[in-house]
Amino acid sequence: MTHQNKPKGLEQAAKAFESLFINMMLKSARAANETLGGDDLMGGSEMSLYYSMMDSRIATEMSNTGAFGLAEIMMRQFGYEQDPNADKPKGTLLDQTI
């Protein structure tokens, strides 16, 4: 299978997972910053809600643009070639005939 005919559902699932992963990473970074006495000037539950929404949007955009790259790695792991000129899928980590 090549890049053009890979299942859209698998690609969407990989991007959704990547978005969730990035969102959790950003949420953890904000929590660590608050623990260390981060931005108290504009703190509060309202700002926390806006930061959460912003983090979610950043995670979605990073996933859609491929900036983070986790979805691409997952697609390669599942055996889908990224090169549209390739004639067969690349192997997984267990199949070292790459």
Side-chain angles (χ1 to χ4, degrees):
M1 287 187 184
T2 62
H3 185 64
Q4 283 92 3
N5 63 0
K6 64 184 169 186
K8 272 296 196 192
L10 183 59
E11 183 178 18
Q12 289 174 345
K15 285 185 177 185
F17 179 80
E18 179 180 30
S19 179
L20 179 65
F21 181 79
I22 294 169
N23 194 12
M24 290 176 66
M25 190 175 65
L26 292 172
K27 184 178 179 180
S28 294
R30 288 211 189 275
N33 187 39
E34 289 174 7
T35 302
L36 296 173
D39 191 17
D40 290 330
L41 180 62
M42 298 185 71
S45 62
E46 295 84 11
M47 286 305 293
S48 178
L49 175 65
Y50 290 119
Y51 281 138
S52 175
M53 290 172 22
M54 182 178 72
D55 290 346
S56 179
R57 181 65 181 181
I58 289 171
T60 301
E61 288 299 314
M62 286 181 73
S63 177
N64 286 337
T65 61
F68 201 72
L70 183 60
E72 290 291 328
I73 292 169
M74 290 174 63
M75 292 301 294
R76 274 189 273 153
Q77 177 66 28
F78 290 127
Y80 291 98
E81 178 62 50
Q82 300 304 314
D83 182 12
N85 298 323
D87 51 330
K88 68 175 197 149
K90 295 234 182 193
T92 63
L93 288 178
L94 297 176
D95 177 17
Q96 296 298 320
T97 60
I98 298 176

